[in-house]
Amino acid sequence: IWEEYDGALWNPASSYPGENPGTGTVNIRNGHAITLNVTPGNNIGALTFQNLTANATSLDVTGQTLNITGALTFGAPSANAGDQTLALGTGTINCASVFMPNTGAANFDIQLTASTGILNVTGNIQMVGANDRNNITFSGAGAINVGGNFTGGGFTCSTSTVNYNGAAQNVGAYTYNNLTISGSNSKTIQGNVTVSNNLDVVAGTLDFSNIGARAISVGGNLSGAGSIDMASGGSLAHTLTLNGANNAIGNFICGSGTVFYSGNIAQQIF
């Protein structure tokens, strides 16, 4: 049962969130298991999971689309039984940002799961906790389109695609299935990156960072009209390992980096 807060008490709501214009923050409270069985006709202002949940708390949007004007914010569970889950499934969520806080223990979990669903985020995806506490997990060919930084926690890619489509962005040190770089400016990797399938640098620059030596390994093909910059760190010994048959890039700056063509097949050398 949806309820509305009047500043003092929670009262039964006359409509569900997003049914009418003007919905503010929607709160998923401790112990509630919510299934979205309709695509709301209007945006909600923000979506927040209650902090310090002691019982399992979840929202399932499988097969629906939820438009959030502002942030998707998780709380920190207060007990092992208080895990928080957003099951995207085959649905779509459009929002301004995603935030997962650190939790009090390794078994106090926050997770966003999806199969073929799509997560569109215009700003940052920030997981403050380690991968034993914060996770985004795909089990199929879904997608994340992110306009800001995507960092922290853990990411399980399955057969999904991640597209960094904003301006200057930090690229998380994860294993990706397909990784797309688009938009503009530099996308700087925050650690070693593995791309199990294809890397497509459509636009902008994939930057290896000037902090320390970084490595990118690509299991499939390299393509795109954008740039790869291995020279921003000066003399850092960055490495790019390519295993696919087709390899091409619009612009390449090597610096002191090394490109390895390591596939056991005939490979195109750019």
Side-chain angles (χ1 to χ4, degrees):
I1 298 176
W2 291 107
E3 296 179 314
E4 295 176 331
Y5 189 63
D6 64 8
L9 298 171
W10 288 96
N11 303 296
S14 59
S15 61
Y16 63 82
E19 182 177 4
N20 299 310
T23 301
T25 299
V26 175
N27 298 281
I28 309 299
R29 300 171 67 191
N30 174 52
H32 289 197
I34 307 297
T35 298
L36 187 67
N37 60 2
V38 64
T39 292
N42 299 280
N43 290 14
I44 64 172
L47 178 64
T48 300
F49 282 71
Q50 181 179 330
N51 198 33
L52 302 178
T53 49
N55 305 105
T57 304
S58 64
L59 172 65
D60 187 337
V61 300
T62 296
Q64 309 298 335
T65 296
L66 181 61
N67 295 310
I68 306 168
T69 302
L72 163 56
T73 305
F74 291 85
S78 64
N80 184 27
D83 293 351
Q84 299 184 3
T85 303
L86 195 159
L88 179 59
T90 61
T92 298
I93 288 181
N94 302 305
C95 63
S97 62
V98 176
F99 177 79
M100 296 183 184
N102 197 4
T103 65
N107 54 358
F108 295 5
D109 298 327
I110 300 169
Q111 58 182 345
L112 189 156
T113 64
S115 55
T116 58
I118 300 173
L119 176 64
N120 297 313
V121 184
T122 56
N124 296 333
I125 301 174
Q126 182 181 11
M127 294 181 280
V128 179
N131 61 7
D132 59 354
R133 305 178 188 210
N134 295 173
N135 274 280
I136 295 176
T137 302
F138 279 81
S139 60
I144 296 176
N145 298 298
V146 56
N149 303 328
F150 180 15
T151 55
F155 173 59
T156 300
C157 63
S158 186
T159 54
S160 67
T161 297
V162 176
N163 181 12
Y164 288 84
N165 62 6
Q169 295 177 263
N170 290 335
V171 176
Y174 306 121
T175 294
Y176 302 87
N177 177 54
N178 294 313
L179 175 60
T180 301
I181 302 298
S182 62
S184 62
N185 298 107
S186 294
K187 325 291 184 175
T188 305
I189 63 173
Q190 301 302 294
N192 295 337
V193 166
T194 298
V195 182
S196 300
N197 199 29
N198 297 324
L199 171 60
D200 188 8
V201 186
V202 176
T205 299
L206 181 57
D207 192 323
F208 272 68
S209 167
N210 60 4
I211 303 301
R214 304 285 194 233
I216 296 179
S217 176
V218 182
N221 297 322
L222 169 66
S223 62
S227 299
I228 293 178
D229 186 357
M230 301 176 73
S232 63
S235 61
L236 292 173
H238 300 307
T239 61
L240 173 62
T241 301
L242 302 173
N243 292 283
N246 301 310
N247 299 289
I249 192 68
N251 185 49
F252 178 67
I253 305 170
C254 184
S256 298
T258 302
V259 179
F260 295 97
Y261 292 86
S262 299
N264 292 318
I265 54 174
Q267 291 184 272
Q268 178 185 6
I269 297 177
F270 62 80

